[in-house]
Amino acid sequence: MLNRLLHREYQPSAGDWDREYASGHWRYLAGLPEMARMAVIVGYAAAAGSPNPVILDVGCGEGTLLKALRDLPYRTYRGIDLSPVAIERARASAGPRDSFEAVGADVLTPDEAPDIIIFNEVLYYLKDVEQLVSRYLSMLGPEGIAIVSVHVRRRHNHIWRSLGRVGRIVDQVMVRHSIGTAWQIALIKPPE
């Protein structure tokens, strides 16, 4: 699937994702090399304006990020992903404030305005990033923020250009692991 993703026109189907999750391909996301990146995301979430936020995790996969967010006070966490296999695994560790839904990011309409929307390693898999992120930013509550994490690759620069056109990048850091993997993580607010 990765080779096909190099061409922006390719959009993985739920079946493609199910096969990858069923094979265990994405389990590495819970490993040590990902911890620093997850810590920055959690730190941004902790610094958000709402003391008891509603969190929406777009492209949540198996719910790996939720485990890192659990120590934060939050009212509700909702994770969405296109893969029913990933969502089934995520539900196994859900608490009473957590919910997961197998739905595409392009069709979701939240029940209540989220205070935090997280796009954790998902934007390069989505069609029309600019339009989608703009729509999600408009759903945020009054003090709402979006947190974006993107693997550092030249071919992902278009994502940051799109984000700069639809939102205000308030803070941004790069995390580099000793194995050579690097990510850019940003806190984004809707335009003023």
Side-chain angles (χ1 to χ4, degrees), residues 30-97:
L32 185 61
E34 304 286 327
M35 287 178 68
R37 179 177 63 79
M38 297 284 196
V40 172
I41 294 170
V42 171
Y44 278 152
S50 176
N52 201 23
V54 172
I55 301 172
L56 174 62
D57 186 356
V58 179
C60 68
E62 296 172 317
T64 304
L65 183 59
L66 175 59
K67 294 173 185 114
L69 291 166
R70 279 250 166 79
D71 291 335
L72 296 180
Y74 61 91
R75 187 174 24 189
T76 61
Y77 167 95
R78 182 177 184 189
I80 66 165
D81 199 281
L82 191 57
S83 169
V85 169
I87 291 299
E88 182 179 323
R89 290 181 178 171
R91 284 181 179 143
S93 62
R97 300 176 295 166

Side-chain angles (χ1 to χ4, degrees), residues 72-140:
L72 296 180
Y74 61 91
R75 187 174 24 189
T76 61
Y77 167 95
R78 182 177 184 189
I80 66 165
D81 199 281
L82 191 57
S83 169
V85 169
I87 291 299
E88 182 179 323
R89 290 181 178 171
R91 284 181 179 143
S93 62
R97 300 176 295 166
D98 312 324
S99 66
F100 292 94
E101 185 178 355
V103 63
D106 55 337
V107 297
L108 177 77
T109 302
D111 299 334
E112 62 180 313
D115 300 299
I116 301 171
I117 299 175
I118 301 171
F119 297 99
N120 182 18
E121 301 303 303
V122 69
L123 290 179
Y124 19 74
Y125 302 115
L126 302 175
K127 190 175 183 178
D128 200 352
V129 169
E130 198 166 317
Q131 180 182 10
L132 185 110
V133 172
S134 179
R135 185 171 74 86
Y136 274 94
L137 289 175
S138 72
M139 296 176 191
L140 284 167

Side-chain angles (χ1 to χ4, degrees), residues 158-170:
H158 73 281
I159 293 171
W160 294 107
R161 287 190 297 273
S162 292
L163 293 172
R165 286 191 290 269
V166 299
R168 294 179 294 129
I169 298 175
V170 176

Side-chain angles (χ1 to χ4, degrees), residues 3 6 11 18 25 39 54 107 119 121 137 146 158 185 189:
N3 288 334
L6 296 177
Q11 295 297 306
D18 281 346
H25 175 79
V54 172
V107 297
F119 297 99
E121 301 303 303
L137 289 175
H158 73 281
I185 304 121
K189 290 193 172 193

